[in-house]
């Protein structure tokens, strides 16, 4: 049976095996997908020995996405621009690297009926996740994307890298009461119980998305809801969306996201 695995550290929390098992069942594909904890210093040799065993592909999660990129013989454009890979495909001794996070986000936004064409988007954060979603977001033809980050120089570096006049960088303070159609929180602030320092006027009557997800609403989504956001959405759909896109890359069939997301929300997954 074709073997796939997700490698990370930590990995116990990963829902990817559960998601891919449901995708395989749904599309009647025969495959085995497991998770594996990797010691930080053993990442490269772990991947190499997985390839030697005849495996077909892998997902890569924190903290190995950049190191995985270095291992690749080929990269997709979206992986190159993201500067990180989350999907490896092993073909005839070569490693092909891709990044499906951005596609996962865009699919989830569209599934939630959030208009992206001609929209004014505020992207909070300029780390790996923000970088990975810029190209797929730009492909949806928004009017503009403002990237605001605590360390503003990182947002400015991103603008330089992408060379697209729809992009601009900002400090949080400089946003004031500017109105956006959609705010995407791509910071990890919610993981530490923090909310990025933007004004309540920014979130009122605006779609608000947080890449972080959990049993409860994230601190950012809770705060945005209290201040009149049109709709608040967490990143669980993005997680399932990026997994679906990895599955398509490997198996050439795109599984349905909605039933899997529903199972995760009701049963919690594993
Ligand atoms: P990085 O560590 O690369 O970047 C973290 C970003 O968050 C930086 O821009 C950092 O700003 C900012 N930040 C951290 N703490 C704060 C704070 N208290 N206030 C304001 N800004 C803050 O992480 P990633 O980009 O890889 O991931 C970001 C989040 O997205 C993570 O929480 C991750 O779990 C989530 N994610 C979800 C996915 C999904 O499928 N749902 C997929 C990928 C990521 P600075 O540059 O100033 O340090």
């Amino acid at each position: 049976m074709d073997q796939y695995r997700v490698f990370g550290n930590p990995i116990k929390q990963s829902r990817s095996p559960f998601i891919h098992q449901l995708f395989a069942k749904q599309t009647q594909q025969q495959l085995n997908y497991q998770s594996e904890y990797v010691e930080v210093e053993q990442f490269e040799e772990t991947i190499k020995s997985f390839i030697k065993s005849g495996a077909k592909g892998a997902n890569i999660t924190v903290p190995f996405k950049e190191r995985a990129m270095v291992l690749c013989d080929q990269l997709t454009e979206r992986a190159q621009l993201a500067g990180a890979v989350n999907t490896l495909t092993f073909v005839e001794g070569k490693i092909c690297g891709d990044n499906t996070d951005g596609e996962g986000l865009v699919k989830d936004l569209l599934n939630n009926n959030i208009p992206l064409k001609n929209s004014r988007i505020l992207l909070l954060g300029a780390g790996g996740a923000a970088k990975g979603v810029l190209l797929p977001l730009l492909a949806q033809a928004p009017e503009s994307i403002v990237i605001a980050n605590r360390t503003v120089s990182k947002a400015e570096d991103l603008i330089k890298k992408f060379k697209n006049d729809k992009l601009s960088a900002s400090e949080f303070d400089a946003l004031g009461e500017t109105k956006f159609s959609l705010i995407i929180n791509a910071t990890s602030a919610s993981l530490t119980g923090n909310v990025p320092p933007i004004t309540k006027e920014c979130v009122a009557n605006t779609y608000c998305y947080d890449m972080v997800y959990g049993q409860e609403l994230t601190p950012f989504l809770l705060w945005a809801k209290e201040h009149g956001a049109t709709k608040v959405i967490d990143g669980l759909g993005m997680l399932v969306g990026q997994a679906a896109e990895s599955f398509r890359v490997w198996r050439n069939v795109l599984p349905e996201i909605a039933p899997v997301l529903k199972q995760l929300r009701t049963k919690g997954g594993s």
Side-chain angles (χ1 to χ4, degrees):
M1 201 183 286
D2 291 348
Q3 301 293 325
Y4 298 87
R5 216 164 272 185
V6 57
F7 295 94
N9 179 340
I11 199 66
K12 237 169 57 194
Q13 82 297 344
S14 175
R15 295 173 179 197
S16 294
F18 179 78
I19 294 170
H20 280 278
Q21 187 188 315
L22 291 181
F23 285 163
K25 202 169 158 194
Q26 188 199 105
T27 59
Q28 296 172 327
Q29 300 268 312
Q30 297 295 315
L31 60 89
N32 180 27
Y33 188 113
Q34 307 281 334
S35 63
E36 183 172 333
Y37 174 87
V38 185
E39 292 293 351
V40 170
E41 62 281 6
Q42 283 169 4
F43 175 69
E44 285 75 12
E45 63 186 91
T46 303
I47 296 297
K48 283 175 189 160
S49 79
F50 186 51
I51 296 172
K52 262 197 197 137
S53 74
K56 298 287 181 191
N59 281 135
I60 307 299
T61 187
V62 176
F64 301 120
K65 289 185 185 181
E66 282 85 12
R67 273 164 71 183
M69 186 168 167
V70 179
L71 286 178
C72 293
D73 299 294
Q74 288 166 18
L75 290 170
T76 58
E77 188 194 8
R78 57 191 182 183
Q80 260 169 41
L81 276 168
V85 302
N86 73 336
T87 305
L88 300 178
T89 310
F90 312 131
V91 191
E92 292 164 3
K94 294 233 182 313
I95 307 178
C96 309
D98 202 346
N99 189 316
T100 65
D101 282 339
E103 189 64 28
L105 170 73
V106 167
K107 277 206 175 85
D108 196 38
L109 291 170
L110 296 175
N111 286 342
N112 278 286
N113 300 316
I114 296 179
L116 296 175
K117 195 167 181 210
N118 299 324
S119 62
R120 281 167 294 107
I121 301 175
L122 171 61
L123 183 64
L124 304 172
K131 229 187 286 179
V133 300
L134 276 176
L135 189 66
L137 278 178
L138 283 168
Q140 296 297 316
E143 184 184 301
S144 59
I145 304 178
V146 176
I147 306 169
N149 196 42
R150 188 173 57 182
T151 313
V152 74
S153 60
K154 284 198 205 164
E156 287 161 354
D157 289 347
L158 268 190
I159 309 289
K160 281 185 205 140
K161 190 172 172 187
F162 276 77
K163 295 189 185 78
N164 187 307
D165 59 11
K166 290 186 173 179
L167 298 181
S168 60
S170 175
E171 293 182 355
F172 286 127
D173 278 356
L175 295 170
E177 298 183 8
T178 314
K179 295 305 296 173
F180 297 92
S181 3
L182 165 65
I183 301 178
I184 301 168
N185 184 11
T187 75
S188 48
S190 286
L191 296 178
T192 49
N194 293 305
V195 175
I198 59 173
T199 64
K200 57 184 191 310
E201 286 78 12
C202 273
V203 293
N205 303 311
T206 299
Y207 292 105
C208 291
Y209 192 99
D210 197 334
M211 288 193 189
V212 173
Y213 51 84
Q215 301 290 350
E216 314 285 331
L217 273 188
T218 67
F220 171 65
L221 295 182
L222 199 60
W223 175 80
K225 198 174 169 188
E226 277 167 16
H227 292 100
T230 310
K231 186 173 180 179
V232 296
I233 305 150
D234 72 13
L236 191 62
M238 174 179 176
L239 177 81
V240 182
Q242 62 78 29
E245 180 65 4
S246 293
F247 195 93
R248 188 194 63 75
V249 167
W250 293 328
R251 312 297 299 185
N252 207 22
V253 47
L254 185 63
E256 269 188 67
I257 292 168
V260 175
L261 187 54
K262 195 169 165 200
Q263 283 227 35
L264 277 171
R265 292 230 189 261
T266 51
K267 293 187 185 155
S270 56

